Amino acid sequence: DAFRDCTALTEVTIPDSVTVLSYRSFYGCSGLNKVSLGEGLTAIGEDAFNGCRLLEDLKFGSNIKEISANAFNGCVSLTGIEIPDKVTKLGSYAFFGCSGLTNAVIGKGVTEIGDSAFYLCEGLKSVTIGENVTEIGGDAFKNCTALTEVTIPDSVTKLSYRSFYGCSGLKKVSLGEGLTTIGKNAFNGCKLLEDLKFGSNIKEIYANAFNGCVSLTGIVIPDKVTALGNSAFSGCSGLTDAVIGKAVTEIGVSAFESCKGLKNVTIGENVTTIGSDAFKNCTALTEVTIPDSVTILSYRSFYGCSGLKKVNLGEGLTTIGENAFEDCKLLEDLKFGSNIKEIYANAFNGCVSLTGIVIPDKVTALGNSAFSGCSGLTDAVIGKAVTEIGTSAFESCNGLKSVTIG
């Protein structure tokens, strides 16, 4: 607090003899225009220049090692910064709200970019991330709406939650080969993101990571990814093609929900569970093959896929969840796997283009309204293991001419 709220101060030079600027040393110096930091300085304390709204000319000394939390928070007149190469960490909120900042170069000594370090730097157009950064913190570049391109170097292993959330101008992202984890909401709301390059070593794509990235057109999930988090690509309405890598075992809840442009999806050979609402309202999807590895289709997994015409269900499938294919109005070619045991309520409700079905012999019960409203259905054979036909199972199947009850 040495010079805190000295609002008439316009310029300061820190001599080479000074090694530490303590916390809030120039906090709230709202008239400060120019700062020269000496060569002896190693540490800039928390909130040191927080709220210096007119600071536009900032010269770092080359020996700074620490830039602590909120050090330059709210310095809205800064336009460009170059973090010296001896700095190892940028503290949380270090440049938060520096809305005039257009260019940032992060030195090669930095290993961690703290939480919210550049959050709300709405003018930031270009950022160079140093070659030794290993972690980009939560909210680090959140709502940097002018940012158009970012390259994550191979040194980075983790993108934390919301690291680039709401970067609505971001068009191109290259993810390095060292990256293993894409955190929750990492690129959520990046509406212009159309060029996305995954590194080959990614293992985890967490919930909502690319939710609402409406300009993405094609994705190939790398083969080391084991799970797609809930709503990972939900609302990516421009997405037409998706290939899910061979290591993925679970497709999360709503992972591709409302990807209304999705025409082609290849489901990896080791997926065992397709989560609820996973492909709900993917209205452009015309055909899907469920590989033999899949054992469960959860509720509403393909609900409302109104363009879906052909479905091949693999031999490993045992459970078709509630409403799984409800309102797939064009579904006419349906192939059951022989090991299905459970067809739950409303599974094929409203599939008006189905004409004939043969319920496999391992199915023990047809859920309520399982085929209700399938008005095009003319023939139904109910397998020999079925012990109960549920309430309204075939209600309003107005075209049904022949039914064989097991």
Side-chain angles (χ1 to χ4, degrees):
D1 297 314
F3 295 93
R4 179 175 179 174
D5 293 330
C6 292
T7 56
L9 190 64
T10 60
E11 183 175 345
V12 66
T13 298
I14 305 299
D16 293 345
S17 57
V18 175
T19 58
V20 177
L21 286 180
S22 299
Y23 61 91
R24 298 192 301 267
S25 47
F26 291 89
Y27 180 101
C29 293
S30 55
L32 191 60
N33 287 337
K34 183 177 180 179
V35 171
S36 297
L37 302 175
E39 287 301 311
L41 190 65
T42 61
I44 301 174
E46 292 185 9
D47 298 282
F49 294 93
N50 191 331
C52 296
R53 300 181 63 81
L54 296 186
L55 178 58
E56 57 184 0
D57 187 349
L58 171 64
K59 180 188 174 187
F60 287 111
S62 61
N63 291 306
I64 297 169
K65 296 178 182 179
E66 299 174 277
I67 298 178
S68 298
N70 293 287
F72 296 93
N73 186 324
C75 294
V76 297
S77 297
L78 282 176
T79 57
I81 57 165
E82 189 166 340
I83 306 300
D85 284 340
K86 290 185 180 178
V87 174
T88 58
K89 181 181 177 181
L90 286 181
S92 300
Y93 297 90
F95 293 91
F96 174 89
C98 294
S99 55
L101 193 65
T102 59
N103 300 286
V105 177
I106 298 169
K108 63 185 180 182
V110 174
T111 59
E112 183 179 351
I113 299 172
D115 293 349
S116 303
F118 293 91
Y119 181 9
L120 275 178
C121 291
E122 295 173 343
L124 188 63
K125 295 179 181 179
S126 172
V127 61
T128 302
I129 298 171
E131 62 192 35
N132 288 306
V133 171
T134 59
E135 183 174 347
I136 296 176
D139 299 314
F141 294 93
K142 181 178 178 180
N143 291 341
C144 292
T145 53
L147 194 62
T148 59
E149 182 175 347
V150 67
T151 297
I152 305 300
D154 292 343
S155 57
V156 174
T157 60
K158 182 179 180 181
L159 289 180
S160 299
Y161 59 92
R162 298 190 302 266
S163 47
F164 291 88
Y165 179 102
C167 292
S168 55
L170 192 60
K171 294 182 178 181
K172 184 177 181 179
V173 171
S174 297
L175 302 175
E177 287 301 311
L179 190 66
T180 61
T181 303
I182 301 175
K184 292 181 180 180
N185 298 284
F187 294 93
N188 190 331
C190 295
K191 297 180 182 296
L192 296 185
L193 180 57
E194 58 186 1
D195 187 348
L196 171 63
K197 179 188 174 187
F198 286 111
S200 62
N201 291 306
I202 296 169
K203 296 177 181 179
E204 300 168 299
I205 298 178
Y206 279 96
N208 294 287
F210 297 93
N211 189 322
C213 294
V214 297
S215 297
L216 282 177
T217 57
I219 57 165
V220 178
I221 305 299
D223 283 338
K224 291 185 181 178
V225 174
T226 57
L228 286 181
N230 298 343
S231 300
F233 293 90
S234 179
C236 294
S237 55
L239 192 65
T240 59
D241 298 275
V243 178
I244 298 169
K246 63 185 180 183
V248 173
T249 58
E250 182 178 355
I251 299 173
V253 174
S254 300
F256 293 91
E257 182 176 350
S258 295
C259 291
K260 294 182 177 179
L262 187 63
K263 295 178 181 179
N264 302 295
V265 61
T266 302
I267 299 172
E269 61 193 37
N270 288 306
V271 172
T272 59
T273 302
I274 296 177
S276 57
D277 299 313
F279 294 93
K280 181 180 177 180
N281 292 334
C282 291
T283 54
L285 194 62
T286 58
E287 182 176 346
V288 66
T289 296
I290 306 299
D292 293 343
S293 57
V294 175
T295 59
I296 296 174
L297 287 180
S298 301
Y299 59 91
R300 297 191 305 266
S301 46
F302 290 88
Y303 178 101
C305 292
S306 55
L308 191 60
K309 294 182 178 181
K310 184 176 181 179
V311 172
N312 294 312
L313 301 175
E315 287 300 311
L317 190 66
T318 61
T319 302
I320 302 175
E322 293 182 8
N323 310 90
F325 293 94
E326 184 172 350
D327 282 340
C328 294
K329 296 182 182 299
L330 296 185
L331 179 58
E332 58 187 1
D333 187 348
L334 172 62
K335 179 187 174 186
F336 287 111
S338 62
N339 291 305
I340 296 169
K341 296 177 181 179
E342 299 168 298
I343 298 177
Y344 279 95
N346 295 288
F348 296 93
N349 189 326
C351 294
V352 297
S353 296
L354 281 176
T355 57
I357 57 164
V358 177
I359 304 299
D361 284 337
K362 291 185 181 179
V363 175
T364 57
L366 285 181
N368 298 341
S369 301
F371 292 90
S372 179
C374 294
S375 56
L377 194 64
T378 59
D379 299 278
V381 177
I382 298 170
K384 61 186 179 182
V386 173
T387 58
E388 182 181 354
I389 299 173
T391 301
S392 301
F394 291 91
E395 183 179 348
S396 297
C397 291
N398 298 329
L400 188 62
K401 297 177 181 179
S402 172
V403 60
T404 302
I405 299 174

